[in-house]
Amino acid sequence: MKILAIETSCDETSAAVVEDGRRILSNIVTSSLPLHKITGGIIPEIAARKQLEFIIPVVEKALELPKSNIKTRIQHPRELFDYIDLIAVTTGPGLIGSLLIGVETAKTLSLSVDKPLVGVNHIHAHLYANWLSDGDQPSFPAIGLVVSGGHTELFLLRSHENIKWLGGTRDDAAGEAFDKTARLLGLGYPGGPAIAAAAAKSQITNHKSQINKLPRPMINSNDLDFSFSGLKTAVLREVNQLKTNKQFDDISIAQLAYEIQESITDVLVKKTLQASQQYNVKSILLGGGVAANKRLTEKFNLEIRNFLPAGEAGKFEINLHIPPPALCTDNAAYIASFAFYHQKQIPWQELMADPQLPVEV
Ligand code: KG4
Ligand code: ZN
């Protein structure tokens, strides 16, 4: 089965064709990120205006790519859809203006080329980037951690049909913590990659640190919730102190970036492993932009050995699945994969964008 998926929940405009939930035939992603770099954060109106420009060419390209080896010329645009079985689209959560572009496009296409339609929850779908692989497929039960710019959520997946929300952030998301603290350090937007790059420089200096260890918010709370807003306050205090002492230089910034990355990744790893042990799962699935963080992968690989018992053949009982970086950040391929495993069709007249679509199921 070949699914055309559309994703426009934030600043990306993406369309993909995926076969049987696993094989990516095309995955086109454009972004208005360069414009948001100038303002240091996403301006929703600018994102939506750009998506309106991008959406038709992006969908066209995604449909054309898998057809490029077919020699016959297309007489009518409708023929581009010949081989598509279903159209999927992100309905929420996200920015209303952005979501509407994708949803209205998908509805129009569904009506005009007569293909069934499926609406997809963007946050649940992030985890399905782990099925877009020829390698080992995730086995159930699994713990899923979605860490993006707006979300930090833990899920228990007993099967494709049985996904339960376990906990999430009470204030800022992990990505938001990276973005906000990067801004305090003057590192620009998006903050995650900027903090990771600055942190990497901290290890090649012997400069004696004046920086205090940052807190690990809620790391020992006996639940599966997160809180990252206090970290921002702690970083602000450090930055002010460094500025007062005239020590706010590249070396201190690198060390502070390192500490920030350590704090956020420590909490994410600990809570995810705690949930994995609690529910005795076979796999851990990561998704969302923050899952592209290399230190997070490194720490998971290390801690999974310390935290969890070895299996019979010396193999660890829990398999860790982390998508390649390009599939961690927003793209339509995982929307298609989710739709393949959840083919809940909806008439085009009933499909609605919902910026507040709940993730708690
Ligand atoms: O999933 P995503 O692309 O968009 C949302 O749905 O929000 O996630 C974007 C978030 C941003 O906060 C960005 O700073 C963070 O992911 N991010 C990273 C890295 N790459 C992107 N955070 C840490 N390390 C990275 N390498
Ligand atoms: Zn996302």
Side-chain angles (χ1 to χ4, degrees):
M1 165 180 261
K2 296 189 183 73
I3 296 182
L4 166 71
I6 296 174
E7 152 62 39
T8 60
S9 64
C10 194
D11 59 324
E12 278 84 11
T13 309
S14 180
V17 177
V18 174
E19 188 172 23
D20 297 336
R22 287 181 63 169
R23 210 159 79 82
I24 300 176
L25 303 184
S26 63
N27 188 18
I28 311 297
V29 186
T30 60
S31 171
S32 50
L33 185 66
L35 295 172
H36 308 301
K37 275 189 174 179
I38 301 166
T39 45
I42 291 167
I43 310 280
E45 288 76 12
I46 293 181
R49 223 171 287 159
K50 281 284 148 194
Q51 282 161 324
L52 199 51
E53 257 175 56
F54 292 149
I55 189 74
I56 302 294
V58 164
V59 169
E60 227 165 27
K61 198 158 177 203
L63 288 167
E64 275 167 3
L65 261 185
K67 282 200 144 200
S68 58
N69 52 354
I70 301 171
K71 290 281 175 287
T72 49
R73 279 184 70 97
I74 285 166
Q75 305 292 323
H76 189 278
R78 177 190 286 262
E79 290 170 31
L80 272 177
F81 293 82
D82 283 355
Y83 69 105
I84 297 296
D85 300 294
L86 190 146
I87 297 173
V89 63
T90 300
T91 56
L95 304 169
I96 180 65
S98 296
L99 288 168
L100 278 171
I101 312 275
V103 168
E104 293 308 314
T105 304
K107 288 165 76 165
T108 309
L109 292 176
S110 165
L111 171 69
S112 56
V113 298
D114 195 22
K115 303 282 178 186
L117 192 58
V118 167
V120 173
N121 183 314
H122 174 87
I123 298 302
H124 301 159
H126 256 300
L127 295 171
Y128 279 71
N130 294 293
W131 271 271
L132 294 167
S133 149
D134 290 333
D136 283 349
Q137 296 286 288
S139 24
F140 296 116
I143 286 292
L145 171 72
V146 179
V147 265
S148 69
H151 289 265
T152 304
E153 318 284 352
L154 271 172
F155 296 96
L156 170 65
L157 295 88
R158 288 200 172 92
S159 65
H160 291 298
E161 294 72 36
N162 188 337
I163 301 178
K164 189 176 160 229
W165 180 81
L166 299 176
T169 187
R170 295 183 181 176
D171 39 56
D172 291 354
E176 199 175 351
F178 273 113
D179 293 337
K180 286 180 174 170
T181 54
R183 186 194 284 238
L184 293 175
L185 299 186
L187 292 175
Y189 181 85
I195 295 256
K201 288 185 204 147
S202 78
Q203 281 139 340
I204 49 171
T205 141
N206 292 320
H207 187 76
K208 273 274 157 279
S209 177
Q210 302 296 314
I211 291 156
N212 296 307
K213 196 171 149 75
L214 295 172
R216 269 61 176 158
M218 291 184 70
I219 197 161
N220 292 320
S221 69
N222 253 339
D223 53 27
L224 297 173
D225 283 343
F226 302 84
S227 162
F228 289 107
S229 67
L231 183 63
K232 187 180 58 197
T233 316
V235 172
L236 180 62
R237 209 178 304 125
E238 290 295 323
V239 168
N240 287 340
Q241 187 68 48
L242 287 167
K243 284 185 175 166
T244 308
N245 298 343
K246 301 210 174 344
Q247 288 175 329
F248 191 62
D249 54 16
D250 285 353
I251 295 171
S252 304
I253 289 172
Q255 287 177 335
L256 204 38
Y258 176 82
E259 282 299 326
I260 292 165
Q261 186 171 250
E262 289 306 295
S263 163
I264 296 173
T265 51
D266 272 353
V267 178
L268 295 177
V269 170
K270 166 87 191 298
K271 293 266 169 160
T272 307
L273 292 183
Q274 188 181 318
S276 307
Q277 201 175 44
Q278 200 171 324
Y279 291 96
N280 197 18
V281 297
K282 292 193 176 132
S283 333
I284 294 175
L285 316 178
L286 262 55
V290 180
N293 186 277
K294 287 207 180 72
R295 183 70 179 131
L296 185 65
T297 302
E298 212 172 83
K299 233 175 233 182
F300 260 115
N301 278 320
L302 192 77
E303 292 302 318
I304 224 164
R305 284 169 176 76
N306 296 336
F307 202 85
L308 303 161
E312 279 170 27
K315 215 176 156 242
F316 293 97
E317 282 173 357
I318 294 194
N319 286 314
L320 177 65
H321 297 265
I322 303 179
L327 295 179
C328 287
T329 46
D330 289 350
N331 68 86
Y334 62 73
I335 302 298
S337 178
F338 185 91
F340 176 77
Y341 292 104
H342 304 86
Q343 292 176 28
K344 203 168 159 223
Q345 296 179 14
I346 178 168
W348 68 267
Q349 298 91 329
E350 289 172 28
L351 192 82
M352 301 274 271
D354 182 358
Q356 313 288 353
L357 189 66
V359 298
E360 299 90 344
V361 281

